[in-house]
Amino acid sequence: MVSVKTSHRTANGGLQGLMDRVQALSNNKLYVGIPQEKTSRGDEPINNASLLYIHTHGIRRRSMREEMQGYMDQGMEYSLAYQLYVQTHGSPLWHAPPRPVIEPAIAKHHREIAEEYAKAVKAAMTGDGARADAFIKRTGLLAQNICRKWFTDAENGWPPNSPKTIDKKTKGKGGKTNPLIDTGALRKAIVYVVRSD
């Protein structure tokens, strides 16, 4: 049997202190997406969450939209999460290809994100809550910026805009021909949020 000095066993609260710090860290949830307060696009009839949802999943044909409208008229609402799901997967029915953002961007950079989050875990294990919080925020900012950069990442695999869309975006405005880039509002709406349970 190995003898351990009492001061080592009780440093930072001992085993119970370590368990408490791990529990506190696990209570923090890091989200990346478009929160409700970031959805507005000024006077436009569509919000950023809906727009990202459409681009991720595509657009539905008229008969499907009319069916969905009937449900909405009866009080059924589509959540922001469902809207983002539709943006990710596209819809061949409306010739709107999927151009997912959040999931593939995070998947491509998962190691980089995990390495940053590991610093938060290490700080929490040593009892440095302030550093743990700082590293959680740094992880969120990293993931947020990775998602924003996905719009111009050559590896995003998005199909190009149709000639009609390119013409509309560039006519008299000198707009960008990249898919999903016009005003930049959609990209800027993607943020990280840390919530504690």
Side-chain angles (χ1 to χ4, degrees), residues 97-179:
R99 292 185 176 111
V101 178
I102 296 171
E103 292 88 351
I106 289 176
K108 179 183 175 190
H109 296 278
H110 73 278
R111 284 192 180 112
E112 187 180 346
I113 295 167
E115 286 172 8
E116 194 66 26
Y117 190 75
K119 295 173 186 175
V121 173
K122 185 176 180 182
M125 296 294 213
T126 62
D128 193 343
R131 279 180 50 92
D133 288 345
F135 280 120
I136 288 172
K137 290 175 183 172
R138 282 179 51 170
T139 304
L141 187 60
L142 174 65
Q144 166 191 298
N145 290 335
I146 283 169
C147 291
R148 289 179 177 186
K149 288 177 184 174
W150 191 248
F151 285 72
T152 56
D153 191 314
E155 294 183 33
N156 66 24
W158 293 349
N161 283 327
S162 71
K164 185 178 179 180
T165 301
I166 291 171
D167 184 53
K168 183 179 178 182
K169 288 176 79 171
T170 59
K171 195 174 219 170
K173 296 196 274 184
K176 304 234 180 218
T177 59
N178 302 62

Side-chain angles (χ1 to χ4, degrees), residues 3-194:
S3 169
V4 179
K5 292 182 181 177
T6 306
S7 60
H8 289 124
R9 282 187 288 157
T10 59
N12 289 321
L15 180 59
Q16 184 60 49
L18 176 62
M19 291 173 61
D20 291 344
R21 290 189 298 277
V22 170
Q23 181 61 43
L25 185 62
S26 70
N27 287 340
N28 286 323
K29 305 291 187 245
L30 177 61
Y31 301 95
V32 178
I34 301 177
Q36 186 67 34
E37 61 272 11
K38 295 283 185 180
T39 61
S40 176
R41 292 181 62 85
D43 294 335
E44 293 184 36
I46 189 167
N47 65 34
N48 284 315
S50 297
L51 189 60
L52 186 61
Y53 179 81
I54 290 167
H55 286 298
T56 300
H57 301 281
I59 306 167
R60 306 296 184 221
R61 69 178 178 191
R62 175 175 283 222
S63 63
M64 292 178 75
R65 286 182 296 141
E66 289 172 351
E67 180 182 355
M68 290 168 73
Q69 187 62 51
Y71 289 125
M72 290 190 302
D73 290 345
Q74 294 172 19
M76 180 179 169
E77 294 183 9
Y78 292 92
S79 70
L80 294 177
Y82 179 74
Q83 293 171 21
L84 184 60
Y85 176 85
V86 170
Q87 287 277 46
T88 298
H89 298 285
S91 174
L93 300 173
W94 260 35
H95 309 289
R99 292 185 176 111
V101 178
I102 296 171
E103 292 88 351
I106 289 176
K108 179 183 175 190
H109 296 278
H110 73 278
R111 284 192 180 112
E112 187 180 346
I113 295 167
E115 286 172 8
E116 194 66 26
Y117 190 75
K119 295 173 186 175
V121 173
K122 185 176 180 182
M125 296 294 213
T126 62
D128 193 343
R131 279 180 50 92
D133 288 345
F135 280 120
I136 288 172
K137 290 175 183 172
R138 282 179 51 170
T139 304
L141 187 60
L142 174 65
Q144 166 191 298
N145 290 335
I146 283 169
C147 291
R148 289 179 177 186
K149 288 177 184 174
W150 191 248
F151 285 72
T152 56
D153 191 314
E155 294 183 33
N156 66 24
W158 293 349
N161 283 327
S162 71
K164 185 178 179 180
T165 301
I166 291 171
D167 184 53
K168 183 179 178 182
K169 288 176 79 171
T170 59
K171 195 174 219 170
K173 296 196 274 184
K176 304 234 180 218
T177 59
N178 302 62
L180 305 190
I181 297 178
D182 194 10
T183 66
L186 182 60
R187 273 192 296 182
K188 291 175 188 170
I190 297 173
V191 297
Y192 79 93
V193 177
V194 179

